[in-house]
Structures are given as C-alpha cells and as structure tokens.
Amino acid sequence: MKRFYLLIIVILALSIPLITFTTYIEVEPVASNRSELLTIPEFEFDTEAVEEPVNHWPIILWSVYGLGLLMFSLRFIIHLIQIFKRIKQNTKQRTAQFTFILLKELMTPHTFFSYIFLNKEKYESQQIPQEVFIHEEAHARQKHSLDILFMELLQILFWFNPLIYFVKHSIKLNHEFLADEAVLKDGFSPSNYQELLLTFSSNVTNTQLAHAINYSSIKKRFTVMKTHTSKQKIWLSCILILPLLGLTLYGFSERRIIEKPASLSIDLPVPMQEKNSKPDPDKDYYYQNTTIEYVDNQKNVIATKKYTELTEEEKQQLPSPPKKPAKKTPLQSELESWLDSKKFGVWVDSKRIKNSDLASYKPSDFGLYYVSKLEKNAVNYGKHYFQVSLYTNQEYDRLYKDGQKPLSEGAIIKITKTASIESFPVLEVSFNPDVFKLNGKGTSLSRLKRDFTEAANNEKSDLRIKTVGGINMSLINQIMEELDGNLKQIRLDEDAYIIGDTTANEHQEKATPEEIDAYNTWAKKIHGESTIISKNATLLPIVDEQELIKFSEIYKRMSPQQKDQSVKFPFPNLNMNEKEQNYGKVNTPYAIEQNQQKATPEEVKEYNKLASQHNDKPENLRIIKLKDFERMEYLYKKMSKEQKANAEPFPNFPPPPPPPPAPKSPLDHVIEMAKKNAKFYYEGKLISSDDAIKLLKENKQLNIATKESDSKEPKVYISKEPIVFKQHAKTKEQVMINGKSSKDGFFSFTGPELSDIELSIAAGTITEFKFKVPGKPTLFIKGNRLNDDAKSQIKETAIGSGAQLFDIKNSKDEVHPPIFVEIK
C-alpha cells in the first residue's frame, strides 16, 4: 500500500496545480427591452499591452534549467546504456520469469525489470544463498523498475526540486522493505537474513536504475523487519490523510470565475405560428448555439432540447431574431463621465483600454455602445461598478455586415409552456439490463403511472417510446395496462419496431414459400458451420443478430406441417417467446449442451481457482495432479469465448524436468577440497590430503562431512561411523559493548571508539565472533575484542557506514543476536 501511496502523492503533486474549479456567474445586462437584450454581442476583454523593460532573469533561469535538464538526461541515458551493455555482453541463464545475467566483475546482486545481475563465479559455484534469489526476484516480480524509471524521468524534468530526491529515496527504500518482506514470508529466519544482508552489502557502485542489496539503508530495514503494523493503523493513517489532501487541493488548485449572460425567459401563451410553416434560415442561424428549456408555471423544467433537436413547429414558437441594431452614438458628456476609472471599466471593440484613452476619441467615432451594471459576484466588481462597451464605426460595420450575429455559445432560452406545443412525455427504453427513463429521469414499470401522470400535468396524454431496435409487444401491452385511464395513444420512435405477437400477427397467414426457402438456406449454412464437440454439445458459429431475428420470426410463423418439412432450427435452446434482447446472447460461439449453453458461474469460479493456483507460480515450478489437470481442461473447453476472455488464462505446464546430475563421488569431493587447502581429519585426527585421498581409494564406504567449504581453510571429516555436527544453541540475550546494552542491537561509535570496544554478557564470556564492514572480507575473531586486521578495516571505512558483529558465541557455545554499529 505504501508503494502506491508514494507514487500517488507524486502524481497528485503534479496534477493538483492543473485542476481548475470554474464558477459561472450570470451577469444581467442593462437593457430596456428584450430586443435590446438579444443584440448584446459577445465580449472579449483584452487589456492593452504596456511596454516594459527587458527582464534578463527569465533568460538566465531558463538557461540554467536547460543545462540541468541536459546533464540529467545524459546521466539517465548513460545508465541505460550501461545496463543494456551488461545484458548484451554477459552470459545469460533464462527461466520462465527471469533472466540471470552472469557478470565477470564482482558486483552486488541487483535487478532491472526481469533481469537479475549476479556474479558468475559465485552463481556457478552455488555460493549465492536462496534468500538473495528471493529478494531480487521480488524486485522483478513486483516491477519496481517501473517506479524507478518514472522517478528518474521526473528527476530530469524537476532536477531543481529537492523534494524529488527525498521521494525517490523513499520509493527505493520502500522497494527494499517489500523485497525483505517477500524473503521473510518465505519462512527464513530474520536474524540469519540480516547477517546475510551485511555479508552481501558493499560499497561497490551500481547503476541508479537497478535495485541492489545496499548497505546505506540497512539500519532502517532491520527496524522495519521487527515492526508489525496493524491493518487498523494503516487504514487510520489513510483516513487522516484525506483532510490534508482536501486542504492541498483547495490551496494549490486554480479557481476561475467566468461571467456568462443570464438566460432569457419567454412566456408563450399561444402558438405564434401555424404548423407546417416553412423553415426560417435567419432563425436557424441566430439560435444555432441555443438550448431551449421548457418550464411550467412553477418554473420547473419539463424538458430540455438543443435548438437543432426542435421540430419545425417548435422552432416557430421562438421569436424572430432581432433586426440589426440601430446606430447609437454617445454624448460628449457621457464620454467625459466615463473617464472615472473607479466607477467605469471601458472596452473599445471588445478590448480593455485605459479610461484616460477615451480623451482621444470623439462621439462620432462610435457607432454603438452599451452600459451594464456589474453584479457583486462579478470578477471586476470593486475595481469598477459599470462596464462600458463601445464599438467604433468600422467594428460596427464588420459585426453587423450580414445582420444580427448568433446568440453566444451556452445561451439558454426558457419557455413557459401553456400552449399546445408537442410536449407529451417520452419513455426511453434500453435492454440488457432493462432501463426505463421518462423525460430523462429514471423510472420503472411499477412507478410509471405516477411519473407519467406528473409529467402530463394530471391530464390524458400521448406517450412516445424511444428505443433502438425491436420492442416486444408484450412489454407494450404491459405499459398500456399500467397507464390505463391516463394514456391516449403510444407513438413509436422512427428507429423502433415491434416484435412478437401483435394484433396484425393474429390474423397473418402462414410463412410464404419464398420465406421458407430463404430460411432453409440460412439454417443449412448454420448447421454446416457448426462443430460437434461431444454427444450432447455443439459449437455454433458467429451469427448475425438481424438475420437471427428475421429467420426466427419466419420460423415462428410456420405451421407445424411447414416446420416438419423444413430444416431444423439451429438453436434448440433459444426460447422463441423471450424478448429480443436474448438474441444478442448468440452473437458469439458457444456450446449448447442439453439445457446449458456455457459453463455456469460456479464452474467458472472453480476453473479460475484452479488456474490461478498455477499461474501465480513460475512455469518451471508448476506441478499438478492428473485429475486436477483433466478437470481444469474440461471446464475450460466448456466455457464460452466471452467467459474465456474474462477468465484466468489456461496455465502452461512444462515437460517433466530431466533427472538431476549425478552427485560427485566422495573421492572427487576430497580431491576438490584438497585443491582448496582444506584440513582433513580421520576419526578426529589431523591427516594430510594425500592420506585422505588414499583412504577414499581404499575404502569407498567411508563417511565424509565438510564444514566451512567456502572459507579459506575448509575442514573435511572422514569416519567409518555416521558424522553428526553439534548444533550451536541460540540465545536471545543481547551482547553488551563496553558494559552498555541496546534492546534492538544498534550502537553508534566513532572509528577510534569502535576499535577499542569490548564485548561482554551478564553471565559468562564471549569467546569468538565475526566482524564485517562494507567492501571488506569477513573476519573471524577469537576472544571478545577486535584484532589488528579489524582495526585496520575500520580506519579505511567512511563515516556514515556501518559494521556488523555476528555469530557471537559465548563460553557455553551459545550464539547471540548480531550487533550493528554505525560509524559516526
């Protein structure tokens, strides 16, 4: 959850400033009559440009930004090239999900998408523990590289923002937490895993685009491993973030107030024109951007239409467009009063000008002007209180060259409907699922009578049914029964037609010979393209919906004798009396199996459960019982194409793995250990490597056991009896340093202080331990103080790094928890 939280806050930080909350306010123009109101043109308020001295700072800042952008882009490209070169130039080992890149140089394991980079020598000698594989595979499986690439690209764009580096560091650190969690969930011991992390951590440089086991954040990672956050705490944290998100959204988003002309209300008590009037091009031009709202006497909106959706009769109810406005020239005294900038805002030819600029104009320069009073919620209210819009003679001639201009985009005209305009309720019907809307509002058959009565103002009315395709006659009859007493007649939309039994069908003759011939041709084609899957199942081809409707209607009108002499209907399970939406269900191939066309939801659920168990595993780890495989295969074949598309993909199962290579013989193992300068013990006594080889050649039944095979001096034990190594007991007691203890095992010392530490416990003494600093070999130390080699390593270790003491044993041969020391 934290991974997506970090990514979301980055996205929100980028998107919130781009959000704009727009508030529209209506500005009521000052006009003496409706004609004058309609002639107000659209205003574009542009302030006059004022010459300013050249500011060089933007040029300097943009140049610095461009330089940083170039540097970070080059850095990103170089890192990508380095990764692709390693992939191309080194040996690869591929598995089902991952590709291991085996590097010749010594580098810490790291991951880039599905590529896991490992040291070739350690990989081939099997010196890389399983925990490391699980850790890196978690990075690859969870696609952490996508997050890193996203942040790298943001860093290129916003390199100057310090917060981007903190967020990037947090995201990479969280990736490590998730990978650590994957290891611990697999059942590995936290303390052993912590020791392993320190063993593999180093100061070796890795590419910034890959995930590597690194040392710098190991203290936090150890702390997180010991921390268990409850789900309640996680959800509480998420809830507490919501108010902060709201404040951020409010504080950093943009708010814009836009003025729009007030809507125009017109009362039409009677039709203004007779029906079937000819179209009026001038009216079509003038009202082309207008929305018409029909309201009742209580100003409730009955219906809303765009002008282009009106019938010719409805268009004739609108007033004719106003004529070209007469010229209106201001007086000299008016021009002088408008010089007051505290009271008036002045626009000339739709451009804002300084009030003092009016002094250069004469009244005869203007052909039209308007003065409007600002409302208190207007944007410029307070700066001035009246808006003066003047149009020069040239602009007036340009604007009104062809007569009145159209009303502005978004203009609304409200008409009070008290006349006989065609306004009966409209019922929109859609299927699959069934949805009913009366005048745009949701309804149902049970509520239809009440809603219809309200829409028709408690009077009898026609009902217009609007749908696409066929509507069953039984549904129409049901609507008529519901509206009995309130309904005059039903009118079907031009795109709709009736299917099923109608009054006309009751007296219709049998299907004609031509219709039967066409049906037989179609049915033979369907049968010919069908595939028999089993005794009770047939796979049908894709069927054209309109053809299915057409020929099923013909088949229904056939007499029993005609049906006996015709080709069998291809869809035996299709209920011929169901509504038309059922036809759509055969528009894809499916299997008809007695009373079932496809797998049931329970069977699909059973298949998904079986398939997901194997799809979640790497292909080379998929193992399945034969009966489970056969059951899954049966369910998958039974599913329709649509079900398969929405279900789990059928798992790919690999062939049985080849037998493992034969283990090395005891003799070969002894020879190999001899090359590593191992010490050999026979029945507890030290012997030479030559003697050990001789013993194995003479007696191949001897038992062999090896300890510390990866160290500088492995130990090989040979015996006639089975060899059992004593397991060291573990204790939870924390070791003290210089007499001081730490609950979590973390300490902080300077380099000289660390060199002089002494380990102790409450009862007993520390006899040995291992010491590790980044980039240096692990040291095995006898006693309870650091030796000279360890002190030398500390001097070469940078401040801010850390050291680990682990495998700490006491005089009772018990192993204590590890200790982490930060070098300050």
Side-chain angles (χ1 to χ4, degrees), residues 335-352:
L335 285 180
E336 292 173 356
S337 67
W338 295 337
L339 293 172
D340 185 355
S341 60
K342 294 183 179 179
K343 189 175 182 181
F344 298 97
V346 181
W347 278 258
V348 173
D349 294 345
S350 300
K351 293 183 179 180
R352 178 72 183 271

Side-chain angles (χ1 to χ4, degrees), residues 27 45 47 259 337-347 352-355 371-389:
V27 178
F45 305 129
T47 57
E259 298 176 353
S337 67
W338 295 337
L339 293 172
D340 185 355
S341 60
K342 294 183 179 179
K343 189 175 182 181
F344 298 97
V346 181
W347 278 258
R352 178 72 183 271
I353 67 168
K354 296 178 180 179
N355 295 60
V371 179
S372 59
K373 184 178 180 180
L374 296 184
E375 296 293 335
K376 290 185 177 180
N377 57 354
V379 174
N380 290 319
Y381 186 84
K383 299 177 182 177
H384 52 263
Y385 300 94
F386 293 90
Q387 177 179 302
V388 182
S389 301

Side-chain angles (χ1 to χ4, degrees), residues 2-14 144 146-155 158-159 161-177 208 211 220:
K2 185 177 179 182
R3 174 189 181 187
F4 298 106
Y5 164 76
L6 290 170
L7 293 174
I8 287 170
I9 62 171
V10 174
I11 295 171
L12 286 176
L14 295 173
H144 291 166
L146 285 175
D147 303 358
I148 298 302
L149 282 181
F150 176 66
M151 291 307 301
E152 287 287 334
L153 292 174
L154 286 183
Q155 184 178 309
F158 303 103
W159 60 267
N161 190 338
L163 293 180
I164 205 77
Y165 301 93
F166 290 112
V167 176
K168 176 183 171 184
H169 173 73
S170 297
I171 287 176
K172 294 185 76 171
L173 184 59
N174 189 58
H175 289 170
E176 299 304 322
F177 295 159
Q208 293 293 312
H211 288 86
K220 291 182 179 179

Side-chain angles (χ1 to χ4, degrees), residues 651-673:
N652 291 323
F653 291 99
K664 293 181 180 179
S665 67
L667 179 60
D668 290 338
H669 179 71
V670 168
I671 294 172
E672 182 181 350
M673 288 297 103

Side-chain angles (χ1 to χ4, degrees), residues 581-624:
Q581 63 263 31
N582 287 329
Y583 298 138
K585 295 180 180 177
V586 296
N587 205 25
T588 54
Y590 64 96
I592 300 179
E593 191 162 335
Q594 294 185 346
N595 295 323
Q596 182 175 311
Q597 295 180 354
K598 54 186 178 182
T600 65
E602 291 77 14
E603 289 174 325
V604 174
K605 184 178 180 181
E606 180 187 356
Y607 165 80
N608 282 332
K609 183 178 180 181
L610 285 170
S612 63
Q613 290 175 355
H614 299 286
N615 283 332
D616 290 343
K617 298 178 182 178
E619 188 172 326
N620 59 341
L621 298 180
R622 293 175 186 171
I623 301 173
I624 187 171

Side-chain angles (χ1 to χ4, degrees), residues 532-658:
I532 298 176
I533 298 175
S534 64
K535 182 179 179 181
N536 297 319
T538 302
L539 184 68
L540 298 171
I542 294 176
V543 181
D544 182 85
E545 183 177 349
Q546 295 303 320
E547 285 190 354
L548 178 60
I549 294 171
K550 173 184 174 182
F551 291 115
S552 61
E553 290 297 321
I554 293 174
Y555 187 78
K556 283 195 293 183
R557 287 192 285 106
M558 289 183 189
S559 66
Q561 184 179 2
Q562 287 175 322
K563 290 180 179 178
D564 289 340
Q565 295 174 355
S566 301
V567 178
K568 185 179 178 182
F569 191 72
F571 301 92
N573 294 308
L574 185 64
N575 186 346
M576 302 302 294
N577 296 320
E578 288 184 349
K579 289 191 285 189
E580 183 252 347
Q581 63 263 31
N582 287 329
Y583 298 138
K585 295 180 180 177
V586 296
N587 205 25
T588 54
Y590 64 96
I592 300 179
E593 191 162 335
Q594 294 185 346
N595 295 323
Q596 182 175 311
Q597 295 180 354
K598 54 186 178 182
T600 65
E602 291 77 14
E603 289 174 325
V604 174
K605 184 178 180 181
E606 180 187 356
Y607 165 80
N608 282 332
K609 183 178 180 181
L610 285 170
S612 63
Q613 290 175 355
H614 299 286
N615 283 332
D616 290 343
K617 298 178 182 178
E619 188 172 326
N620 59 341
L621 298 180
R622 293 175 186 171
I623 301 173
I624 187 171
K625 295 180 180 178
L626 179 61
K627 67 174 185 177
D628 289 342
F629 178 81
E630 291 175 345
R631 175 62 178 170
M632 187 164 57
E633 188 178 38
Y634 165 76
L635 293 173
Y636 187 74
K637 287 181 178 179
K638 193 174 182 181
M639 291 159 60
S640 68
K641 186 177 181 180
E642 182 180 357
Q643 287 175 321
K644 289 178 181 177
N646 296 322
E648 285 274 343
F650 195 86
N652 291 323
F653 291 99

Side-chain angles (χ1 to χ4, degrees), residues 21 45 60 161 241 281 293 296 305 324 348 358 407 487 532 562 593 607 635 697 764 809:
F21 292 100
F45 305 129
I60 296 172
N161 190 338
I241 288 170
E293 286 188 355
D296 57 20
K305 294 184 178 180
K324 178 180 178 178
V348 173
L358 275 177
L407 286 176
L487 182 66
I532 298 176
Q562 287 175 322
E593 191 162 335
Y607 165 80
L635 293 173
K697 287 182 178 179
K809 297 178 183 178

